[in-house]
Amino acid sequence: MEKRRSEQPSRISLFLHELQTELSTMDIEAVMILDYLKNPIENNLQEAELSTHAIRAKIREISTSIRVHLYQSGERTTSNVRETEFSPVDFFKELVQRWNRDPKADITLQISGMQESGAKVSGAQASHASQSMPFSTNTLKLLVDVLLSNAVRFRKGEVARITLNVQADPDQLTILCRDEGIGIPSQEIEQIGQLFFRATNADGTDGNGVALHFAISLLREFGGELKIRSEEGAFTEIEVMIPAGRG
């Protein structure tokens, strides 16, 4: 407990420094939008749209970071940790549709073997049966947002190619997030998820090594597990296993 308390000031300071950087970036993008709109020709409007998407992406990242810090600092409500019944198909469809509005994200959703490219349901075989898990859908959304945010952040090129595979079994919900990004150096995979640790090939990208640590801690708290497989320069796979609620 004392160790956790001692970590809080450094976490908060790091978060505030990161927030200041993100706000400065958003301010620059906003100024660019205003400049583009002074001469609203087609090319400038396209650039303004790109800057708007960049601001929205930064807001989403900041929102995820705030939710992580609130959860870790003890700001948990009964609704956050209560056992929940939900429809995996409906939940993940909505989540992926939201993420795919970002031009930098190209996510393919697969649920129980039924592929849904761009979260467009392809067939009636997809099951809408409810699934039980040990915490709220808001907490699950935060967990998946952490995975997708990292996949987008550490992409190669302009667009992150991501596959989100969801398997809902009676006793477990399994989420496999695979991206084709920069990957992780093999000698550092065991350290990924440690508080404040960042891979050596992550220079030039934002982040502070807190969010994935949070995800691992959250899963352990509820009897779940997180596994990482990666090849530097090729891909990263993060597999999350969440036990079903007790019912």
Side-chain angles (χ1 to χ4, degrees), residues 79-236:
S79 62
N80 284 335
V81 298
R82 71 183 178 196
E83 186 174 312
T84 306
E85 292 278 340
F86 79 113
S87 165
V89 171
D90 293 340
F91 175 86
F92 284 99
K93 274 175 50 186
E94 188 277 332
L95 186 146
V96 170
Q97 285 173 344
R98 173 170 57 87
W99 271 91
N100 274 342
R101 295 190 188 109
D102 185 345
K104 295 179 181 178
D106 181 8
I107 305 171
T108 297
L109 175 63
Q110 299 174 329
I111 302 180
S112 298
M114 294 300 298
Q115 181 167 316
E116 299 173 25
S117 179
K120 295 178 181 178
V121 181
S122 58
Q125 297 180 36
S127 172
H128 288 261
S130 64
Q131 172 80 10
S132 176
M133 62 178 176
F135 43 70
S136 72
T137 53
N138 282 337
T139 302
L140 178 61
K141 184 179 295 184
L142 173 56
L143 179 64
V144 180
D145 279 348
V146 167
L147 302 182
L148 295 177
S149 180
N150 278 349
V152 172
R153 179 179 290 129
F154 300 113
R155 65 188 181 277
K156 288 188 302 185
E158 292 299 317
V159 180
R161 312 291 179 186
I162 305 167
T163 300
L164 196 65
N165 193 310
V166 180
Q167 181 69 42
D169 296 316
D171 60 345
Q172 180 173 276
L173 179 69
T174 304
I175 304 166
L176 181 65
C177 180
R178 179 186 174 97
D179 66 67
E180 300 173 6
I182 64 175
I184 303 166
S186 58
Q187 69 274 18
E188 297 177 0
I189 290 179
E190 293 298 321
Q191 296 169 271
I192 294 295
Q194 294 180 10
L195 186 59
F196 302 138
F197 179 81
R198 283 168 53 82
T200 53
N201 64 340
D203 291 344
T205 60
D206 52 10
N208 53 32
V210 171
L212 193 58
H213 173 78
F214 154 78
I216 294 172
S217 301
L218 172 67
L219 288 165
R220 287 176 178 168
E221 179 180 350
F222 290 97
E225 189 177 1
L226 184 147
K227 296 181 179 179
I228 301 174
R229 292 178 289 275
S230 186
E231 180 181 332
E232 187 175 7
F235 74 92
T236 296

Side-chain angles (χ1 to χ4, degrees), residues 9-105:
S10 58
R11 290 185 186 184
I12 293 171
S13 297
L14 191 59
F15 169 69
L16 290 176
H17 176 74
E18 184 179 274
L19 179 60
Q20 182 181 30
T21 301
E22 299 286 15
L23 290 174
S24 296
T25 301
M26 291 165 62
D27 182 57
I28 292 172
E29 294 285 355
V31 170
M32 291 172 63
I33 291 173
L34 292 173
D35 286 340
Y36 289 134
L37 294 180
K38 290 177 182 177
N39 183 20
I41 60 176
E42 182 177 357
N43 185 63
N44 283 355
L45 291 177
Q46 291 174 348
E47 292 296 330
E49 182 179 5
L50 291 175
S51 291
T52 302
H53 283 301
I55 291 174
R56 292 186 66 247
K58 290 297 182 184
I59 291 173
R60 186 179 61 233
E61 291 176 8
I62 291 171
S63 175
T64 299
S65 294
I66 290 174
R67 287 151 62 203
V68 166
H69 282 273
L70 287 175
Y71 194 101
Q72 287 186 317
S73 65
E75 294 292 330
R76 309 183 191 191
T77 64
T78 303
S79 62
N80 284 335
V81 298
R82 71 183 178 196
E83 186 174 312
T84 306
E85 292 278 340
F86 79 113
S87 165
V89 171
D90 293 340
F91 175 86
F92 284 99
K93 274 175 50 186
E94 188 277 332
L95 186 146
V96 170
Q97 285 173 344
R98 173 170 57 87
W99 271 91
N100 274 342
R101 295 190 188 109
D102 185 345
K104 295 179 181 178

